[in-house]
Amino acid sequence: MITLLATLRFTLVSAVQNFWRNLAVSLAATCTMGAILLFIGGILLGTHMLNQMLTAEQAKASNIKIYLEDGVSLGSIANLQSELRADPRVSAVHFENKDDAAKEASSQVENFSESLKVLGSNPLPASLNLDLHRLADLPAIDTMARRNAIVQRGNLATDYNPAIIDKLQTLITWAWRFAVGFLIVFGTLSVVIIMISIRTAVLVRRREVEIMKLVGATDWFVRGPFILEGVIGGVIAAAISGTVIAAAYKPAVDHLRSTLFFFPLSYDGSYLAVVALLLFAAGIGLGAFGSYLGVRRFLTV
Amino acid sequence: MSLAAAARPALAADPALRPVISFHGVGKTYPNGTEALHDINLSIFQQDFVFLVGASGAGKSSLVRLLIREEVSTSGRIFVDGQELSRMARRRLPRLRRKFGIVFQDYKLLPRSTVAQNVAFALQVTKPGQRHLREKVEESLWIVGLEDKVHKFPDELSGGEQQRVAIARALVHRPPIFVADEPTGNLDPDTSWGIVQLLLQINHRGTTVVMATHNREVVDLVRRRVVAIEGGRIVRDEAQGQYLREGDATLVSGGNR
Ligand SMILES: Nc1ncnc2c1ncn2[C@@H]1O[C@H](COP(=O)(O)OP(=O)(O)O)[C@@H](O)[C@H]1O
Ligand SMILES: [Mg+2]
């Protein structure tokens, strides 16, 4: 027990000394790793936001809003409604009048009710909201709806937008590919940088190492401080990048929400916690791995 | 059988007393092709004091490096305490090294640590959490006569004193074998003589001592076993004069300095 404590103490003290004695190299390595972790965290949060958008779009996707011309008779609406209800591809039909539409809009868009007051009248159309059994039937239903006389003309006929889902999907795929590529390239880079800093540390302490081997210190006793030094660098890098990401996430979400108000983005605190944990794991892992390789390569025990 | 063993037939005949160190047909050729040692046969018994002598380049350091397994022999077998070195697993190396106290010509002290810290370091890295660390360090420094220099730094000491610190560090874990490679190489004759006396004292306390040196003067002053090496071969292995009575470690020509 005493032995263990003394070993830990020696290892920790030497590791911190190592860090200080070649502060320039240690800091350079730590900062590089911090920047890399920052990018990794940013990519993780970015793809998470894209995923949020995609999920929302997909949920929207299996339903479709058919916008109706103003002032059409309730009878013709009821006709269309029952016609759609009879369609086996449709699971539910729900009528939304202009007031409902306005209410929904004000719940989603800030200041909408003020704008409505300024306008004096409600520009939003009434709609029939359909739920479909299968996504694949969307285009056919869309085409069918557009032919009906009570449905609005042109772009405003429905809210069906096939392009956006595909685009999001592609974007997410690419974001992940980019993230993985980035991870491989920069993970390797940070491992190499840590190896270099460990090499310097070994050089600075070569006399100590020589004596330790001479008097019969075990391999792990000799290696421990150097490996811990790498881990300390990794933890510091993770702390720095984690703090930056945590601080930037909320403003980023707010900013995106105000510019892309049609996307339902939200601040996901639990995902942020997962990202922070991942960053620490990555920092410790890369630090330990890099310094282990450095010790293997440059410290002949 | 070596002459040294023959000089002590009573001990050599005792089967319980096998050599602490033995070389059997040992050769060492470095990767660059230099054959530093050739067919070395050597037995060293407990509490022996052995000088390895020879000109510079003769192979003394190579022999020492094989003994402490800093290098591995290219032929033959070396036993330390019954253990064969060339087949020894790497992870056993620390345990082997702890059987030795080792000093070199350059003292290998930590310049930023005090005398006491330098000595304590050897224990801290081999037996972390060692009890009575301070007492052990003080005792070791007392043996080498540096009890009043405990808080000095190496650059505040003379060469001889620095070598004494190195010796104290090598002794602090009470090794059964003491190995010195040219410990007096950087020292003037008077100081060298002091170091050799110190090693004799250590030997008198029961420690086996192997000292490599090219300094014939020192060797001639002390009647101990001398193993002479030339061109990587042992050319002579004999007691200088004759062995002193068992346990009598006073110097034959101690006053002659
Ligand atoms: N690491 C090495 N690589 C190649 N040759 C070496 C090495 N160490 C020593 N030698 C050679 O081995 C021979 C013996 O050297 P050494 O054992 O150092 O002798 P000594 O200690 O008696 O001066 C010399 O010719 C030396 O040049
Ligand atoms: Mg030599």
Side-chain angles (χ1 to χ4, degrees):
Chain A
M1 191 62 200
I2 292 172
T3 308
L4 185 68
L5 284 179
T7 306
L8 287 178
R9 186 166 164 268
F10 175 87
T11 307
L12 189 66
V13 168
S14 311
V16 173
Q17 270 178 3
N18 279 359
F19 201 87
W20 275 113
R21 284 196 193 164
N22 47 351
L23 194 61
V25 179
S26 312
L27 278 186
T30 304
C31 288
T32 317
M33 184 134 120
I36 288 162
L37 290 179
L38 192 65
F39 273 110
I40 291 172
I43 285 173
L44 284 177
L45 282 179
T47 46
H48 182 62
M49 289 186 205
L50 286 176
N51 254 327
Q52 278 185 332
M53 294 181 195
L54 184 70
T55 318
E57 280 304 312
Q58 274 171 337
K60 263 204 275 176
S62 61
N63 51 52
I64 179 170
K65 275 186 184 200
I66 297 169
Y67 295 114
L68 305 173
E69 291 281 14
D70 281 358
V72 295
S73 71
L74 279 172
S76 52
I77 295 173
N79 272 346
L80 179 56
Q81 193 169 4
S82 49
E83 187 185 322
L84 288 168
R85 253 191 206 123
D87 194 305
R89 295 169 295 184
V90 176
S91 68
V93 185
H94 161 72
F95 176 64
E96 180 178 305
N97 66 27
K98 287 172 75 80
D99 290 342
D100 295 337
K103 250 181 247 155
E104 198 194 319
S106 16
S107 75
Q108 278 176 2
V109 183
E110 248 177 281
N111 305 329
F112 186 81
S113 30
E114 280 78 18
S115 319
L116 269 188
K117 273 176 209 142
V118 174
L119 278 171
S121 69
N122 178 2
L124 295 176
S127 62
L128 282 174
N129 302 346
L130 315 188
D131 288 332
L132 302 190
H133 292 295
R134 297 193 311 131
L135 259 172
D137 293 329
L138 265 176
I141 296 287
D142 182 64
T143 321
M144 191 189 86
R146 280 167 196 271
R147 280 201 291 265
N148 196 296
I150 65 166
V151 173
Q152 295 213 356
R153 304 284 127 217
N155 287 336
L156 288 174
T158 69
D159 70 349
Y160 175 56
N161 188 352
I164 191 138
I165 292 172
D166 286 351
K167 274 185 192 150
L168 271 174
Q169 203 104 54
T170 327
L171 201 59
I172 286 172
T173 313
W174 278 104
W176 273 114
R177 279 185 198 160
F178 183 67
V180 169
F182 197 92
L183 229 85
I184 292 170
V185 172
F186 286 85
T188 313
L189 187 68
S190 64
V191 164
V192 168
I193 287 167
I194 288 165
M195 275 178 73
I196 291 168
S197 83
I198 294 304
R199 182 202 162 110
T200 325
V202 169
L203 221 63
V204 168
R205 286 186 98 92
R206 61 188 179 283
R207 179 44 69 87
E208 269 107 322
V209 168
E210 187 187 5
I211 296 165
M212 282 164 86
K213 289 192 273 185
L214 209 58
V215 299
T218 57
D219 284 4
W220 284 109
F221 207 90
V222 178
R223 289 171 171 173
F226 297 106
I227 291 178
L228 188 61
E229 184 194 347
V231 172
I232 289 175
V235 168
I236 293 175
I240 294 170
S241 57
T243 311
V244 172
I245 279 178
Y249 182 39
K250 186 98 167 71
V253 168
D254 290 345
H255 178 73
L256 285 175
R257 248 209 300 232
S258 64
T259 46
L260 308 168
F261 60 87
F262 45 89
F263 281 123
L265 269 184
S266 63
Y267 177 83
D268 187 345
S270 58
Y271 189 74
L272 182 64
V274 170
V275 169
L277 264 171
L278 271 174
L279 288 185
F280 273 95
I284 291 170
L286 289 176
F289 185 60
S291 49
Y292 176 71
L293 289 185
V295 162
R296 283 282 300 259
R297 179 100 169 64
F298 303 114
L299 185 71
T300 42
V301 205
Chain B
M1 244 311 106
S2 72
L3 288 169
R8 288 196 302 187
L11 287 179
D14 185 346
L17 273 174
R18 58 178 176 188
V20 191
I21 297 166
S22 59
F23 282 59
H24 302 273
V26 172
K28 174 68 184 174
T29 304
Y30 286 105
N32 68 0
T34 310
E35 189 188 30
L37 293 172
H38 182 85
D39 191 29
I40 298 290
N41 291 289
L42 183 65
S43 295
I44 297 174
F45 291 83
Q46 201 177 338
Q47 226 184 323
D48 270 0
F49 190 115
V50 179
F51 284 115
L52 287 177
V53 297
S56 181
K60 306 180 295 293
S61 295
S62 298
L63 199 151
V64 166
R65 282 199 294 267
L66 289 184
L67 176 61
I68 63 175
R69 208 178 183 274
E70 214 173 278
E71 296 277 356
V72 184
S73 58
T74 39
S75 62
R77 295 193 297 168
I78 303 170
F79 291 89
V80 172
D81 223 0
Q83 193 175 19
E84 216 261 290
L85 298 195
S86 66
R87 257 187 301 222
M88 194 183 66
R90 254 183 53 86
R91 67 193 158 75
R92 298 205 172 270
L93 195 56
R95 195 174 296 172
L96 175 77
R97 292 278 168 80
R98 288 174 203 194
K99 289 180 181 161
F100 294 113
I102 308 165
V103 298
F104 290 104
Q105 179 168 353
D106 58 330
Y107 321 113
K108 298 192 195 297
L109 300 178
L110 301 174
R112 283 194 261 194
S113 301
T114 65
V115 165
Q117 285 166 348
N118 263 287
V119 176
F121 185 74
L123 280 182
Q124 283 165 338
V125 301
T126 49
K127 294 176 184 157
Q130 168 86 300
R131 283 160 169 265
H132 311 300
L133 177 68
R134 210 180 134 152
E135 287 85 338
K136 286 181 189 210
V137 170
E138 278 170 2
E139 188 193 350
S140 212
L141 284 170
W142 176 78
I143 292 173
V144 302
L146 284 181
E147 61 273 20
D148 54 342
K149 302 272 161 74
V150 177
H151 300 298
K152 294 252 190 277
F153 286 88
D155 62 3
E156 299 171 314
L157 303 177
S158 71
E161 285 168 337
Q162 289 186 50
Q163 190 59 290
R164 283 168 189 271
V165 177
I167 292 171
R169 181 179 62 196
L171 287 180
V172 74
H173 62 284
R174 302 185 161 280
I177 308 165
F178 194 92
V179 182
D181 189 3
E182 305 275 9
T184 61
N186 285 338
L187 304 175
D188 60 57
D190 259 18
T191 319
S192 300
W193 184 237
I195 295 292
V196 172
Q197 277 182 306
L198 180 55
L199 295 189
L200 286 166
Q201 244 184 66
I202 290 163
N203 176 237
H204 184 51
R205 287 163 176 269
T207 308
T208 310
V209 175
V210 178
M211 171 173 162
T213 182
H214 65 268
N215 187 348
R216 287 249 36 142
E217 263 179 74
V218 165
V219 175
D220 290 339
L221 287 174
V222 184
R223 293 196 173 184
R224 293 293 161 145
R225 180 177 166 198
V226 176
V227 174
I229 304 179
E230 262 178 50
R233 292 155 201 264
I234 293 183
V235 292
R236 209 152 42 83
D237 181 355
E238 62 184 24
Q240 188 92 7
Q242 62 179 158
Y243 269 90
L244 298 173
R245 279 196 328 278
E246 218 41 55
D248 183 355
T250 50
L251 304 173
V252 171
S253 11
N256 184 15
R257 29 191 309 203

